[in-house]
Amino acid sequence: MATHKIFDAAYPPGSVPSGCSGVMGYIGGASAYRVWTRADWAPFHGIRQFPIWVPDVSGSSTAAEAGRAAVATANGLGWKSSGGSRVIVCDLETTEDASWYKAFAAAVNNGGYYCVAYGSASTVTANGASNVMVAQYDGVADVPAGTVGKQYQANVSYGSTQVDYSVISDWMFNRGGQGPRR
């Protein structure tokens, strides 16, 4: 299986790190540390982009409301998904709540996107997601069986910021797009 190196950061760098063909960035959610602006996305217009939603699972909005908000935000930024041609990543960190995730993912899927559950390798699979990306900081750039990606290295200095590195499968890479377009 082919893999593709991507990166993410709270404060994105001004250029694409060497060897990377994709980027994940934060578009919202009640627990998002820092949401990227349009200007933050601009340097990465030529590589695959994957929006991340960071929900507050115990917050006041329902899972379905959070999923619809993620779709509306992605659409508002100019990403459009036609019949699941794009991914929205749900950053769960260490949350284990399969019923919440199922309702969130259903809303994302109904909005035309594929949902990918991201979180710690020790907890994320408990959410019952069809598409899983694990965080496992072992420095090994591989995609574990049964997942679509792995974040393998965190807080690496690059330019004036720090980035995290991941590898993703062809399946996930093919569901990234370029944009935002507006």
Side-chain angles (χ1 to χ4, degrees):
M1 167 186 13
T3 60
H4 307 270
K5 184 178 177 182
I6 65 172
F7 71 97
D8 71 275
Y11 296 91
S15 64
V16 178
S18 178
C20 289
S21 56
V23 59
M24 294 189 300
Y26 302 94
I27 63 167
S31 293
Y33 173 72
R34 182 181 175 278
V35 175
W36 285 23
T37 66
R38 287 185 189 276
D40 288 336
W41 286 102
F44 315 115
H45 63 87
I47 63 173
R48 298 294 173 110
Q49 298 179 347
F50 303 90
I52 303 171
W53 190 263
V54 189
D56 178 2
V57 174
S58 62
S60 59
S61 67
T62 68
E65 289 168 338
R68 288 189 296 272
V71 167
T73 301
N75 288 342
L77 285 167
W79 287 296
K80 298 292 181 192
S81 183
S82 175
S85 61
R86 298 291 305 266
V87 161
I88 292 177
V89 177
C90 180
D91 185 344
L92 296 166
E93 294 297 328
T94 58
T95 297
E96 296 179 60
D97 190 333
S99 62
W100 188 97
Y101 181 77
K102 181 179 179 180
F104 177 88
V108 169
N109 295 341
N110 289 338
Y113 291 81
Y114 281 104
C115 195
V116 171
Y118 163 84
S120 173
S122 64
T123 58
V124 72
T125 57
N127 291 295
S130 299
N131 307 302
V132 174
M133 182 173 179
V134 299
Q136 185 174 14
Y137 304 121
D138 59 6
V140 178
D142 67 344
V143 176
T147 72
V148 298
K150 174 181 157 187
Q151 189 171 79
Y152 65 93
Q153 199 171 17
N155 303 320
V156 178
S157 292
Y158 180 77
S160 61
T161 192
Q162 292 184 329
V163 299
D164 300 336
Y165 289 116
S166 301
V167 289
I168 58 173
S169 67
D170 283 337
W171 180 91
M172 186 165 166
F173 184 79
N174 291 336
R175 285 159 182 81
Q178 294 174 323
R181 301 219 180 265
R182 295 188 219 159

